[in-house]
Amino acid sequence: MWDQLLNGLVIGNLYALTAIGITQIYGVAGVVNFAHGSVYMVGAYIGWMAIAWLHWPLVPAILLVLAGSAAIGLLVERAAVRPFARAGSTILLLTTIAAGLIMDNAAQIIWGPQTQALRSPLPQWQFKLGGGTVSFLDLFILAAGVGTALLLHLFLYRSRAGWAVRATAQDREAALQMGVDVNRVSSLSFAMAGAFAGLSGLLVGLYFNNIYPTMGASATLKGTTAALLGGLGNVPGAILGAYVLGITEAFSVEWLGSSFRNLMAIVLLIGVLIFRPNGLISARRALNPEPTAGTFIPHGRPLRFPRWLLPAVTVSAMALPLFLSNPYPLQVLAIAWVFGLMAVSLNLISGTTGQISLGHAGFVTLGAYASAILTSRLGLPFSLSLLVSPFLAAAIGVLLCYPALRLRGQYLAITTMGLGEAISLIALNWEGVTQGPLGISNIQPPGFFGYPIVSPAGMYLLAFAVLLIGVWVVHRLSRSHLGRALRAMREDEVAARAFGIGLARYKSIAFGVSAFFAAAAGVLLAHSYSYIAPDTFTFALSIQVLTMIILGGRDNAVGAVAGAVILIALPESIRFLGEFRFILYGLLLIGMLRFRPYGLFNSAT
Amino acid sequence: MILLSVRNVHKRFGGLHALRGVNLELEEGETVAIIGPNGAGKTTLFNLISCEDSPDEGEILLDGHRIDGLPAHLAAAHGLARTFQNGRVFGNLTVLENVLLGAHTRLHGLTDPGSRLAGSVLAALREIAWSIIQPRRFRRREAELTEEARDILSLFGERLIPRLHQPAYSLSYANRRRTELARALALRPKVLLLDEPTAGMNPTETEEMTEIIQTLQRRGQSMLLIEHKLDLVMAVADRVVALDAGEVLVSGRPEIVRSDPRLVEAYVGRRGAGHSVPDSAVTLQKQA
Ligand SMILES: Nc1ncnc2c1ncn2[C@@H]1O[C@H](COP(=O)(O)OP(=O)(O)OP(=O)(O)O)[C@@H](O)[C@H]1O
Ligand SMILES: [Mg+2]
């Protein structure tokens, strides 16, 4: 009992250090900084280098971490936030995700993908307190958390710079008019938040005695959850939220088992987003005031091709296996077609309906598991499962997303991320059905009427055929009144609703159809890999697919497929790119949003 | 016959009592203008009638059915269409698409919200299926509505017809307002709610809009009109309701309301308090 409480407090302190940064950045920049966990990770590595390589004592190591991660925080602001300040918060969400992706993968290349041991240079003594044990490190972490909170409070409420930060957070325009240099405030906030995050990374490394390049992902998740619990933008709220999260986790680990730590965090995240999106302590917000006119973001229109071009490309793609004797390009292209299907389906949500979804991998996972279970447990043939599984996945997907569909922008995006994670965590924990972490193996190869498809050419054609169906359906939908309704929601939800477009229904339709084809892609992959596990389709896949549609052009099916082909084929054909694949995705995402936000296959007008 | 009635409606925003027991009735075919200084609660009243927001007290009836508190998308299905004070066209949709969207509730029951859970799921699935298959009946309906949209747009002469396929964000401000009105008309509303349809328009454009509103009146369109420009109000309104600080100050025939001293006082009082004074108040003062 005491142990859990103490444990929860210590972990809560660590979360608080990341959460205050996330909440402060949200206040001044209006974005949930998805690169925050990566700054934390870099901080941990800086500390590890100082301690394990240079054998520095802890205090100078901490100072180095503070300085280094503040610099990284600044870099994120300069490269991924400031240039996009006017582009809107959902774009900022994407650019910070990209920055995080770049850092995480750069860290793998620089320091290696393996876990590094980090031994604490602190004295190892501990003592008993009311039935629990307290170590020196525990005390150190508590002191660091409380000290930071106090310093931050003094800064915000006692200094001129702190006043500027608060003014900017309250109303950026008004602050500008009062002569606040909001750019400096933004830099300052990112630097401070970065320093706290780095410190937190180092302390977590010391606490668990190890660090690894992808450790930032869970920090972003936990920090965001804590910040949301407290209400985004609210610093004391974030600290409170961090304690709530830390203690809840500690007790659920005790009572339910250690695999529930992350599941509990996800449940809290989704719960707060759906039931109290403004945090546990704030009141309900009233109707938003009417926007002033003239804030349109032009979306670009699909490039026009000569009439014969698309059919000609389609026919040549179908005929390709006849001319290629080398199976390798066919295998790569088959994967590209499956990703094209995912991209086309995501485009319906993110391009046509204008909602950023970060959980597309969840739909793919649903389809893959549905088919794996239906074919191996219930003996359904592949051909039937290819039809049934997507329906099943779409139904489950819509059911899961439904409560979240009234959220907008970043809030919906974060919820979809949470749902995506939740789906793989359920796959991980529901062992009776999914075989848990072992995954499901020996999934039958795809095939029709007893003839299995095993050749690369066969897989290629199957994938292409399903892709064509997907493109055709999405194209028809998007040209019908439904497409119009979805776009109207993207442009202005209030006006759309005033003309009879029930937001829940039409968003459900977009998510449902999208989930259907994402799941079909999952079915194809499950049967061609013959094996799936809870971590086969991850958050990284969701981001990869998003990158494809930003590259190809939002609301443009041809662009989505082209984006998929480029992003899949390019790293395969240029060997040395393989290792840098995700860095390339990150750079492409930022670069496209900066220099060609319409995508390659849309034109400005 | 009374089409719309607003009964003793209250609305509060935190400590601000924006509407304090407003009553209002609209007869079929009638045009009622709502005037009043900035912040009087006119737009708030529209938000309640169009179900964008719900009243704290009181009731709103359309054709004898209570509509207050309904979700906003159902208000449209009941035959309410509105324009917005600052203009809210769908920027990346073309002019034609904007207007067709106004007819969304008229796609032959296809877009029927469906009652109860099972009903609404089935309705949604049917809507998806129809959109993919696009049977002839469905395409014919789309074509009819397109034709109708052109008719509506030709109300504005040559202003919008040549720009049918341009995205709405590329239009001038006045043309966006026109597109918005066309979109509302495409719903074939029982009651049309116009929130300052001529805001930001020059005198010629205002004159044009006045004529269009008169055309609609001749066709029997019932409407509520929020307007600051007194000439327009005098030209089109059958009755005028003057709101001030959330209360109905005066109501009645336009010429009677215009000369009511309380109204002038409301405007001038506001000016004393440092509020901006709409041009109508200036006209009012001269006439008083
Ligand atoms: N969503 C809201 N939250 C808080 N206060 C609001 C909200 N909407 C309106 N108000 C307040 O209610 C009062 C009435 O506003 P409303 O927009 O109805 O005025 P109006 O008569 O339309 O004025 P105008 O001529 O300027 O358009 C104003 O004081 C306004 O600030
Ligand atoms: Mg108004």
Side-chain angles (χ1 to χ4, degrees):
Chain A
M1 177 70 191
W2 275 109
D3 255 345
Q4 268 66 56
L5 196 63
L6 183 74
N7 189 257
L9 277 177
V10 172
I11 300 272
N13 254 294
L14 294 170
Y15 291 163
L17 280 172
T18 31
I20 50 182
I22 288 179
T23 222
Q24 201 190 343
I25 287 177
Y26 183 86
V28 299
V31 63
V32 174
N33 177 15
F34 263 69
H36 204 66
S38 306
V39 179
Y40 152 107
M41 175 272 300
V42 174
Y45 270 95
I46 294 175
W48 169 74
M49 288 195 300
I51 292 168
W53 289 4
L54 306 174
H55 304 290
W56 283 15
L58 189 58
V59 173
I62 284 181
L63 291 178
L64 185 69
V65 167
L66 290 175
S69 39
I72 302 283
L74 263 180
L75 193 67
V76 169
E77 196 260 349
R78 277 303 162 86
V81 175
R82 192 177 295 185
F84 303 95
R86 292 178 172 283
S89 62
T90 41
I91 297 295
L92 279 173
L93 192 69
L94 295 182
T95 54
T96 59
I97 287 174
L101 200 63
I102 295 171
M103 283 194 267
D104 287 1
N105 287 279
Q108 295 211 15
I109 293 169
I110 298 171
W111 293 299
Q114 70 277 24
T115 299
Q116 305 283 2
L118 176 57
R119 246 174 298 283
S120 162
L122 285 173
Q124 294 297 323
W125 57 260
Q126 47 190 26
F127 62 91
K128 294 253 175 234
L129 183 87
T133 20
V134 185
S135 72
F136 189 74
L137 183 62
D138 290 338
L139 290 181
F140 190 80
I141 290 173
L142 290 175
V146 173
T148 310
L150 277 178
L151 275 178
L152 184 63
H153 184 85
L154 284 179
F155 166 76
L156 284 176
Y157 289 89
R158 290 280 187 279
S159 73
R160 172 112 192 125
W163 171 82
V165 169
R166 282 186 296 130
T168 311
Q170 205 150 64
D171 187 339
R172 194 187 171 91
E173 291 307 314
L176 249 174
Q177 306 225 315
M178 284 190 289
V180 172
D181 182 348
V182 292
N183 276 334
R184 253 195 53 204
V185 165
S186 175
S187 303
L188 186 65
S189 302
F190 272 85
M192 283 175 59
F196 299 152
L199 175 61
S200 169
L202 174 62
L203 293 177
V204 168
L206 293 173
Y207 191 74
F208 292 108
N209 293 319
N210 62 51
I211 60 172
Y212 47 96
T214 52
M215 67 192 276
S218 97
T220 304
L221 177 72
K222 304 296 171 68
T224 305
T225 307
L228 276 161
L229 282 168
L232 279 179
N234 179 345
V235 174
I239 297 174
L240 187 76
Y243 287 128
V244 169
L245 178 63
I247 292 170
T248 313
E249 276 189 16
F251 281 99
S252 43
V253 167
E254 171 69 9
W255 291 331
L256 303 167
S258 65
S259 63
F260 279 80
R261 176 184 289 280
N262 289 334
L263 193 57
M264 212 54 216
I266 291 281
V267 167
L268 268 182
L269 174 73
I270 298 174
V272 72
L273 276 163
I274 289 173
F275 297 109
R276 298 208 55 106
N278 295 319
L280 294 178
I281 42 186
S282 89
R284 222 193 83 195
R285 209 179 319 179
L287 200 68
N288 289 326
E290 267 199 52
T292 44
T295 46
F296 299 113
I297 304 165
H299 220 270
R301 326 210 112 209
L303 288 180
R304 291 192 170 278
F305 299 113
R307 268 176 165 271
W308 52 266
L309 189 64
L310 282 180
V313 171
T314 310
V315 170
S316 341
M318 274 195 282
L320 197 64
L322 295 177
F323 303 104
L324 276 179
S325 49
N326 182 353
Y328 180 66
L330 287 183
Q331 282 163 345
V332 171
L333 276 175
I335 297 289
W337 300 143
V338 178
F339 272 83
L341 186 62
M342 292 183 207
V344 167
S345 67
L346 179 61
N347 217 345
L348 203 57
I349 297 176
S350 296
T352 312
T353 317
Q355 314 291 330
I356 301 291
S357 164
L358 303 176
H360 215 53
F363 296 144
V364 181
T365 305
L366 277 177
Y369 267 96
S371 189
I373 293 166
L374 286 177
T375 53
S376 24
R377 292 273 176 96
L378 305 180
L380 221 63
F382 169 81
S383 50
L384 215 55
S385 176
L386 181 58
L387 200 64
V388 174
S389 305
F391 272 111
L392 213 62
I396 299 173
V398 171
L399 214 62
L400 285 175
C401 294
Y402 191 84
L405 291 182
R406 63 199 172 80
L407 297 170
R408 292 198 232 175
Q410 296 182 71
Y411 285 80
L412 180 60
I414 295 169
T415 317
T416 56
M417 180 202 71
L419 288 169
E421 293 293 303
I423 288 171
S424 57
L425 284 172
I426 291 170
L428 187 68
N429 286 296
W430 197 7
E431 298 199 6
V433 175
T434 62
Q435 302 182 16
L438 284 179
I440 301 178
S441 43
N442 289 325
I443 303 170
Q444 55 171 266
F448 293 93
F449 314 112
Y451 296 98
I453 295 175
V454 279
S455 72
M459 270 310 297
Y460 172 95
L461 285 176
L462 173 64
F464 194 65
V466 179
L467 171 69
L468 280 187
I469 296 172
V471 170
W472 180 78
V473 166
V474 169
H475 179 70
R476 297 281 280 196
L477 266 190
S478 112
R479 282 187 34 172
S480 74
H481 81 284
L482 242 176
R484 200 160 59 217
L486 298 182
R487 287 187 192 97
M489 277 198 298
R490 172 187 78 200
E491 299 296 311
D492 188 332
E493 291 195 350
V494 171
R497 211 169 40 189
F499 285 91
I501 292 168
L503 302 182
R505 168 170 172 162
Y506 287 91
K507 283 187 191 171
S508 299
I509 288 179
F511 273 79
V513 177
S514 180
F516 183 93
F517 287 108
V523 175
L524 290 177
L525 288 180
H527 288 268
S528 75
Y529 295 164
S530 85
Y531 166 74
I532 49 159
D535 59 356
T536 308
F537 308 116
T538 59
F539 181 63
L541 177 108
S542 302
I543 301 308
Q544 197 180 358
V545 179
L546 255 178
T547 311
M548 289 167 182
I549 62 178
I550 295 215
L551 181 65
R554 276 167 280 176
D555 202 3
N556 180 343
V558 174
V561 176
V565 172
I566 296 173
L567 281 197
I568 296 295
L570 207 63
E572 293 294 339
S573 50
I574 309 173
R575 273 287 158 194
F576 71 88
L577 276 182
E579 197 186 2
F580 295 92
R581 169 184 288 232
F582 282 96
I583 296 184
L584 175 77
Y585 291 162
L587 290 174
L588 261 179
L589 201 54
I590 292 185
M592 286 300 293
L593 289 171
R594 179 89 179 84
F595 299 108
R596 199 177 160 88
Y598 311 120
L600 294 178
F601 292 83
N602 278 348
S603 65
T605 44
Chain B
M1 197 194 91
I2 292 172
L3 198 54
L4 177 78
S5 54
V6 174
R7 295 183 186 159
N8 189 31
V9 155
H10 288 259
K11 180 71 194 175
R12 295 180 190 84
F13 296 111
L16 180 85
H17 206 153
L19 291 178
R20 315 163 178 247
V22 170
N23 287 291
L24 185 129
E25 280 181 347
L26 181 73
E27 298 264 352
E28 189 146 10
E30 199 184 20
T31 300
V32 171
I34 300 171
I35 61 172
N38 292 123
K42 306 179 295 292
T43 300
T44 303
L45 182 61
F46 266 26
N47 283 343
L48 299 187
I49 297 174
S50 62
C51 300
E52 177 57 38
D53 208 348
S54 51
D56 295 322
E57 268 174 62
E59 47 189 44
I60 301 172
L61 290 93
L62 179 70
D63 247 355
H65 300 284
R66 274 193 70 167
I67 57 164
D68 54 272
L70 280 183
H73 66 275
L74 294 185
H78 277 82
L80 279 164
R82 69 175 293 185
T83 66
F84 294 88
Q85 180 165 355
N86 295 317
R88 297 184 91 139
V89 289
F90 303 115
N92 282 295
L93 265 55
T94 65
V95 171
L96 180 62
E97 286 170 328
N98 265 281
V99 181
L100 281 173
L101 195 109
H104 182 79
T105 50
R106 294 175 51 216
L107 289 159
H108 264 333
L110 193 64
T111 53
D112 185 33
S115 53
R116 293 225 287 273
L117 180 64
S120 57
V121 171
L122 281 181
L125 288 175
R126 196 172 58 129
E127 190 174 348
I128 298 174
W130 284 124
S131 314
I132 297 169
I133 303 164
Q134 294 181 15
R136 259 246 298 285
R137 186 167 67 84
F138 183 86
R139 289 202 306 265
R140 212 164 41 220
R141 182 70 182 150
E142 224 6 67
E144 277 167 24
L145 289 174
T146 307
E147 225 18 71
E148 192 183 317
R150 279 173 197 274
D151 283 349
I152 293 173
L153 286 167
S154 59
L155 257 181
F156 303 96
E158 285 298 296
R159 297 266 190 202
L160 291 172
I161 292 287
R163 301 188 169 80
L164 225 46
H165 299 291
Q166 284 183 15
Y169 70 75
S170 69
L171 299 176
S172 70
Y173 183 70
N175 269 340
R176 281 187 222 155
R177 304 304 308 264
R178 296 184 183 107
T179 305
E180 232 198 323
L181 175 56
R183 179 179 69 188
L185 290 173
L187 189 132
R188 293 257 182 102
K190 285 183 193 154
V191 177
L192 177 64
L193 307 170
L194 299 177
D195 196 343
E196 299 192 28
T198 66
M201 288 189 177
N202 65 31
T204 332
E205 290 166 341
T206 304
E207 183 56 34
E208 234 179 86
M209 187 56 90
T210 312
E211 280 164 24
I212 286 163
I213 292 174
Q214 285 167 336
T215 310
L216 298 178
Q217 284 181 309
R218 279 196 296 277
R219 295 183 188 170
Q221 177 70 57
S222 323
M223 57 188 131
L224 280 181
L225 167 76
I226 296 178
E227 191 45 75
H228 282 306
K229 292 181 182 161
L230 204 70
D231 289 344
L232 198 164
V233 172
M234 298 311 289
V236 302
D238 298 313
R239 279 191 300 129
V240 175
V241 173
L243 278 185
D244 181 37
E247 280 173 312
V248 176
L249 198 63
V250 216
S251 74
R253 299 188 50 77
E255 49 289 356
I256 298 178
V257 173
R258 180 174 63 175
S259 49
D260 194 299
R262 282 172 294 178
L263 187 63
V264 181
E265 201 177 302
Y267 276 110
V268 177
R270 281 303 140 115
R271 180 156 63 173
H275 285 253
S276 72
V277 180
D279 49 357
S280 57
V282 181
T283 352
L284 271 163
Q285 268 177 298
K286 269 187 255 157
Q287 280 153 350

